[in-house]
Amino acid sequence: MQHAVPWGATAQRNCDRVIALVAQQKSVPIRLLTDANRGRRGAARARQLAMYLSHVVYGRSLAEIGKAFGRDRTTVSYACALIEDMRDDPRFDEEVCALELQLETSMATEVDHVR
């Protein structure tokens, strides 16, 4: 069976959606989330959150996410573990849950349009 869109392109599109949402919510320019430099703490944390959401919501592999963000898969693994640990804070967890819901709703709407 042949797919209309290459799998790698789908992974990049998923990550781009997450990047746009997190950049908007955190008031961080999109370019800082994919910049090769680490950046300031706020940009780095937003990037880590976007990596985490790409993995958790879209089920993207660490390697795919690393490619989309211009990072190594081990960096993505570190980011996911860090965000998971931060979710022990109820306020942060609530914020992450809201972002997950937005992405899941967007994904469900997209699937409905395809049908």
Side-chain angles (χ1 to χ4, degrees):
M1 176 181 205
Q2 201 172 51
H3 297 282
V5 179
W7 200 57
T10 301
Q12 183 66 52
R13 192 169 50 243
N14 292 156
C15 290
D16 288 346
R17 281 190 194 112
V18 175
I19 290 168
L21 176 64
V22 171
Q24 177 188 13
Q25 293 293 318
K26 295 294 187 178
S27 300
V28 175
I30 288 175
R31 66 178 170 72
L32 292 182
L33 297 184
T34 57
D35 190 45
N37 296 321
R38 292 173 81 183
R40 295 181 183 221
R41 179 180 283 190
R45 187 70 74 228
R47 181 184 316 109
Q48 291 163 337
L49 177 57
M51 289 177 180
Y52 173 83
L53 291 168
S54 296
H55 183 61
V56 171
V57 175
Y58 287 107
R60 294 289 147 214
S61 72
L62 302 181
E64 289 174 316
I65 296 166
K67 184 175 180 182
F69 283 85
R71 299 290 191 281
D72 186 79
R73 66 174 177 73
T74 58
T75 302
V76 179
S77 177
Y78 172 80
C80 289
L82 180 72
I83 296 298
E84 191 64 44
D85 287 346
M86 290 176 66
R87 291 192 79 169
D88 289 340
D89 175 355
R91 290 181 62 196
F92 183 74
D93 185 59
E94 187 176 309
E95 180 183 337
V96 174
C97 284
L99 291 169
E100 288 173 333
L101 182 61
Q102 280 185 267
L103 291 167
E104 290 165 355
T105 301
S106 171
M107 192 169 35
T109 302
E110 186 176 296
V111 168
D112 285 343
H113 287 304
V114 171
R115 291 181 189 173

